[in-house]
Amino acid sequence: MVSQRELLLDAAIDLLGSRGTRALTHRAVDQAAAMPLGSASNYFRTREALLCGITERLEKRENADWETLNRTPTPRTIDELVDAMANFVVRAVQADRTRTLARYALSLEAQTMPALQENMRSGHPRLTEWAARLLSNVGAERASARILVDYLDGVILHQLVYPTPDFDPRSALDQVVRALRGTVVS
């Protein structure tokens, strides 16, 4: 069962991802969650506390997504890896668009809030380790995972800002993965 705190945070994620940081107020979160005024401020006294709470909730929801992903068969070929990564990117910019936009908004806010920045750092090593395992399964160096993660981050951000209706990241991902593995095909 979802707690009141989680309901507030889910509403805050949706608000942040759909309307941006300027729209994120305690009052707006209360309204979006259909809860009495003052509910969000009872759980999160400051804006920074609210933003840190959002980060923690995003991490929890993303961990659940990782668990689901980890139950699927591990890609053993470059084609399987490219398909898996492409599905990840497409999901981030389509089905999880609001959540992804919320994460990017938090990244910008974190530049002026050390506690939020520290809170956000926890997810990146997990993503990099996941990419390292996937790359090593297809014969690429684990050390190249950071390059792949940075590329994924960039392609996701680009698609969020400049969406294209026929978006398919497979071709470019194929080139990146092959280059990381050292088997570039022209």
Side-chain angles (χ1 to χ4, degrees):
M1 179 167 197
V2 179
S3 70
Q4 282 189 335
R5 183 180 190 277
E6 290 169 329
L7 287 173
L8 285 164
L9 290 172
D10 288 342
I13 290 166
D14 290 341
L15 186 63
L16 184 60
S18 63
R19 295 188 41 217
T21 56
R22 296 191 111 173
L24 185 71
T25 65
H26 287 85
R27 179 182 292 263
V29 172
D30 291 339
Q31 290 171 342
M35 296 181 97
L37 291 179
S39 298
S41 65
N42 281 337
Y43 285 98
F44 311 101
R45 287 286 181 208
T46 64
R47 179 176 177 80
E48 185 171 355
L50 177 60
L51 291 168
C52 286
I54 292 169
T55 302
E56 291 164 7
R57 180 66 176 156
L58 274 171
E59 182 78 14
K60 183 177 180 181
R61 288 174 64 181
E62 289 170 352
N63 280 339
D65 289 348
W66 291 119
E67 292 295 321
T68 301
L69 278 175
N70 286 330
R71 280 183 244 152
T72 61
T74 302
R76 297 287 176 201
T77 67
I78 290 178
D79 290 340
E80 289 175 355
L81 177 58
V82 167
D83 283 342
M85 291 290 174
N87 290 336
F88 171 79
V89 169
V90 169
R91 180 176 177 169
V93 300
Q94 291 178 1
D96 289 340
R97 180 180 180 82
T98 301
R99 188 167 35 165
T100 304
L101 286 167
R103 176 155 298 286
Y104 281 113
L106 286 167
S107 296
L108 294 174
E109 286 288 314
Q111 301 316 301
T112 59
M113 294 181 191
L116 179 58
Q117 190 173 53
E118 189 57 39
N119 232 2
M120 292 200 63
R121 283 194 178 134
S122 66
H124 199 267
R126 185 177 44 81
L127 180 60
T128 305
E129 176 54 32
W130 173 70
R133 281 193 317 266
L134 294 176
L135 284 169
S136 68
N137 287 336
V138 298
E141 294 291 322
R142 291 177 62 85
S144 58
R146 176 77 187 240
I147 296 167
L148 180 59
V149 169
D150 288 349
Y151 173 76
L152 291 171
D153 203 27
V155 78
I156 289 169
L157 180 59
H158 190 270
Q159 184 60 23
L160 289 170
V161 176
Y162 307 106
T164 55
D166 57 345
F167 177 65
D168 184 356
R170 280 174 179 78
S171 178
L173 274 167
D174 186 71
Q175 292 177 36
V176 169
V177 171
R178 287 181 191 281
L180 291 173
R181 187 170 179 256
T183 57
V184 178
V185 178
S186 49

